[in-house]
Each structure stands twice: as structure tokens, then as C-alpha cells.
Amino acid sequence: MRSDPVQPERLAGTGPVQPEAGAVAPAMSGAYISVREVSKVYGRGRDRVEAVHRASFDVPKGQFVAILGPSGCGKSTLLMMCAGLEHVSSGRIAIGPRTVDGPSRDIGIMFQDPTLLPWKTALQNVLFPIHIMGLRKAEHAERAGDLLRLVGLAGFEDKKPHQLSGGMRQRVAICRALISDPDILLMDEPFSALDAISRDEMNVLLLDIWQRYSKTGLFVTHSIREAVLLADRVLVMRRRPAAVVEDIMIPFERPRRPELGDTREFVELCAMLRRHIESQT
Ligand SMILES: Nc1ncnc2c1ncn2[C@@H]1O[C@H](COP(=O)(O)OP(=O)(O)O)[C@@H](O)[C@H]1O
Ligand SMILES: [Mg+2]
């Protein structure tokens, strides 16, 4: 992992930031998600693609990490391996002491497509994982209702997906990801398909959820702005070889509000990240 190009002093004295503003993330102790020398190869011979090349990073409990990088650099593959939905070709991913070797109920997942069941209501979609896990729905129905209220969908519990807007469907998907109260939330460009206003609203909602539930998160996005607003730390990936090349702390204190995005220090940090990404990818 490169460590030379980030210049913390360029952000010194820029307001509500801690001393290590923009600094390269230090080696973390107490890793909760541990990714060690992980590679992933798809196909063979002429079809061989190395989707991820020796990725290594640790995520401590409660940290929100954004992953930025161009299309095809292996972001989704990395997330799927953390979720236990793809095998690693080499290396090791662990959650706490446990090597990831399959899906776990400790992990909630969100994709760009909300993947709701069209014949089920919002409430039934939120409760669907409970059904799959063989848990008692009655015990989770109240939590499902609370989550739907939290995301602003009170009164929409009985609506089917086609009766909801894109932003509302993604809100249902967040509730579904949270219904089993997982420790970890993995999100693969969850807001990329939304219009700009809905996306801003979802960012505010996610900030609020983070404040309330203190999950550990990996969040793939193409948006530098979204990454800096939401995350405690940003990993930058590049193609050929598909590797993690930057690991940068985002020092803004929480709770954060979207107005943070209008501040000079925020804009400067985004610009610095953009320069790093352009020089890497
Ligand atoms: N199931 C698969 N089979 C073969 N190749 C794949 C598969 N999934 C992804 N790839 C390839 O792996 C690389 C990384 O893909 P992906 O993880 O989807 O990248 P990203 O999410 O960053 O756009 C790409 O070259 C893609 O074509
Ligand atoms: Mg992807």
C-alpha cells in the first residue's frame, strides 16, 4: 500500500478536523474485519481475470469504510468475498476470529438494485430474511415497523414495490439489511441509481443510522463526495493489477450533517482525493 502521496499538512488548520486530517490510515489494532493478501481469479486460460490482487486491510469495529475506484477494479468482488458470497482464490478474510467461508447473519447487504420481491409488501420484504433464517417473524414484526418508521416509510408498510419510488424502495432495502441487527453492513453502490435529491436524502439517512446503531460498514461508491461525507476512512482501488492503493482517514467529527459538504475543508479533501485517484487509476 502506498503511503507517500498523502500530505496531512496540506489540510492543517482547516477547521473541524482532528490532527491526522487526510493522513494515511495507521495500522489498526483490534481488527474486526481482517482482509489478508486476498486475491480472486475468475476463469482460466484466456478467460482468466484477476479481479482482486493481494488486497490487505483491517476494519476495526464501528468504522465506516468507503471503497472508491473505477469500474471493473474488483470492488464488488471484494465485497462479495467479505459477505461470504464468493470464495477467495488465495489469502484470508476473517470477521473477528472466524474465517469467512459462507454467508452469515452478522452481515447485512445492500446492492444498487433493491432486489425487493414484487408480490410482497414493504413490511413483508423487510421481514423476508427472518423467514429465510427460520426465525420467528412475530418477534421481528415490531422491529420491522420501527425501522420503516425510522426511514420515513410510516404508512407505506402495506405498499408493494411498484407503488414506491426508487428512493423508497432503497429505504425498504436498508430496513431489510438491518432487520436481523447485523454487526456489519456491506453496501455496493446502493444509491447510484437514484436521482441526486433522493441520493442526498439517503446519505442523510445513512448518517443517522450510523449514529444510532454504530455498525461496521464497507460502502462501495463512485462518488468521492459521498465517500467523504459518509466514511471514517476511504480505500482507493485501481485496475491492473486490481489492488488497494490508498488508505486515507476522513477526520470530520460525527454527528455529520450534509452542510459539511459546503465547507472549505471538505471540498479540499475531496479535491485531494480526486488527485490521488487520477494519479493512481
Ligand atoms: N462472476 C464473474 N466471472 C468472471 N469475471 C468476473 C465475474 N465477476 C466479475 N468479474 C470480472 O472481475 C473484474 C472485477 O469486477 P467487479 O468486482 O464487478 O468490479 P467493480 O465492482 O469494481 O466494477 C472485472 O474485470 C469483471 O469483468
Ligand atoms: Mg461493482
Side-chain angles (χ1 to χ4, degrees):
M1 211 171 288
R2 286 179 52 155
S3 60
D4 53 307
V6 184
Q7 295 169 13
E9 64 277 12
R10 282 160 66 174
L11 284 158
T14 49
V17 295
Q18 292 153 8
E20 71 272 34
V24 172
M28 294 289 170
S29 58
Y32 184 45
I33 303 173
S34 160
V35 176
R36 281 281 162 277
E37 293 283 316
V38 167
S39 297
K40 175 70 180 182
V41 176
Y42 290 113
R44 291 174 183 202
R46 287 173 55 186
D47 293 333
R48 185 181 190 278
V49 177
E50 189 175 33
V52 175
H53 176 76
R54 299 179 67 178
S56 288
F57 58 91
D58 289 340
V59 181
K61 201 157 193 158
Q63 194 173 62
F64 188 129
V65 176
I67 302 176
L68 278 171
S71 276
C73 73
K75 304 180 297 295
S76 296
T77 300
L78 190 57
L79 219 64
M80 289 304 98
M81 291 190 291
C82 289
L85 297 172
E86 281 284 358
H87 291 296
V88 303
S89 300
S90 60
R92 176 178 185 253
I93 300 180
I95 309 281
R98 184 182 64 82
T99 298
V100 172
D101 57 3
S104 154
R105 74 173 59 161
D106 291 338
I107 298 177
I109 309 181
M110 277 184 78
F111 302 99
Q112 183 173 329
D113 184 330
T115 62
L116 303 180
L117 297 172
W119 62 90
K120 289 192 179 285
T121 66
L123 186 69
Q124 288 167 342
N125 267 289
V126 173
L127 284 168
F128 191 65
I130 297 303
H131 170 69
I132 295 291
M133 290 175 201
L135 303 176
R136 291 169 64 89
K137 269 192 198 170
E139 289 169 14
H140 292 82
E142 191 180 330
R143 177 174 168 80
D146 288 346
L147 284 167
L148 284 167
R149 268 191 296 284
L150 172 74
V151 302
L153 289 181
F156 291 86
E157 294 87 348
D158 297 329
K159 301 287 184 213
K160 302 267 175 66
H162 75 272
Q163 297 172 296
L164 303 172
S165 70
M168 288 167 144
R169 288 198 283 268
Q170 238 2 344
R171 286 167 198 255
V172 175
I174 289 192
C175 296
R176 184 186 53 193
L178 292 171
I179 187 65
S180 65
D181 198 18
D183 289 334
I184 296 172
L185 208 51
L186 302 179
M187 294 159 280
D188 193 355
E189 301 191 44
F191 310 141
S192 299
L194 300 180
D195 62 85
I197 292 175
S198 301
R199 190 172 186 153
D200 286 349
E201 286 172 359
M202 295 306 282
N203 284 341
V204 172
L205 179 64
L206 199 52
L207 283 174
D208 182 38
I209 285 173
W210 227 254
Q211 208 58 35
R212 283 169 193 266
Y213 295 113
S214 57
K215 305 283 178 199
T216 305
L218 284 179
F219 182 94
V220 170
T221 177
H222 275 120
S223 163
I224 293 175
R225 198 187 141 78
E226 190 170 72
V228 174
L229 181 64
L230 297 178
D232 301 308
R233 177 177 166 208
V234 174
L235 301 179
V236 179
M237 292 182 71
R238 73 158 176 223
R239 260 179 297 189
R240 286 187 282 277
V244 177
V245 286
E246 297 282 2
D247 187 342
I248 295 167
M249 295 304 289
I250 304 299
F252 302 113
E253 283 169 4
R254 296 182 190 269
R256 295 183 191 165
R257 298 187 45 77
E259 294 74 33
L260 173 65
D262 301 327
T263 62
R264 187 169 58 87
E265 39 282 293
F266 184 96
V267 173
E268 282 179 4
L269 190 47
C270 290
M272 186 188 79
L273 254 171
R274 178 162 287 113
R275 284 194 295 276
H276 281 306
I277 291 167
E278 283 168 1
S279 71
Q280 289 290 348
T281 53

